[in-house]
Amino acid sequence: MPVMGVPKFERFFRAAAGLDVSKNDLKRYNDFVDAKLYDLFVIGTADAKANDRDIIEPQDLPVTKGLQESIHAFQKLEEGIELRPLLDQLTARPDLGMDAAEDTQQRLPDLAGGLSVALARALKTIARDTRRPSTDQWDEAFELFDLLI
């Protein structure tokens, strides 16, 4: 199940970074959110284990200053992301061996939104001279995020 539908996805990228995206970009966007949320939870699992916890608490997730700023920007956009698709995506991934606390689960839409804003802004930086990022520019943005998360 996609994180957001096509019209919302297109509206979101216009609001977040002034970019035009199409329904063809939606799958790569959903794959990005899925992968990066899972990466955050892999790191969160290791942090919880290092602190002798058997559940992933919000403070276990590596929310950087930049991601926090992107979360705040997402909240100002007043575009919501539903929790259920995010939980479904996480449960479809390899088991982390640890559950997320209720507070951690409730933060998933804001985390996904923050990652989305950060992606839109990264694409805007990479695709300075165009309003519609190319496949190569999407790939460059993903490579940058892979270096960071």
Side-chain angles (χ1 to χ4, degrees), residues 14 22 29 73 88 92 98 108 111 122 145:
R14 273 192 301 278
S22 71
Y29 162 75
D88 290 346
M98 186 176 295
L108 278 174
L111 285 170
F145 275 88

Side-chain angles (χ1 to χ4, degrees), residues 80-97:
I81 293 178
E82 293 182 31
L83 178 59
R84 183 83 258 147
L86 299 172
L87 291 173
D88 290 346
Q89 285 179 342
L90 280 176
T91 57
R93 289 289 200 145
D95 186 20
L96 296 167

Side-chain angles (χ1 to χ4, degrees), residues 12 19 78 91 98 115:
F12 175 83
L19 294 174
E78 297 180 7
T91 57
M98 186 176 295
L115 288 166

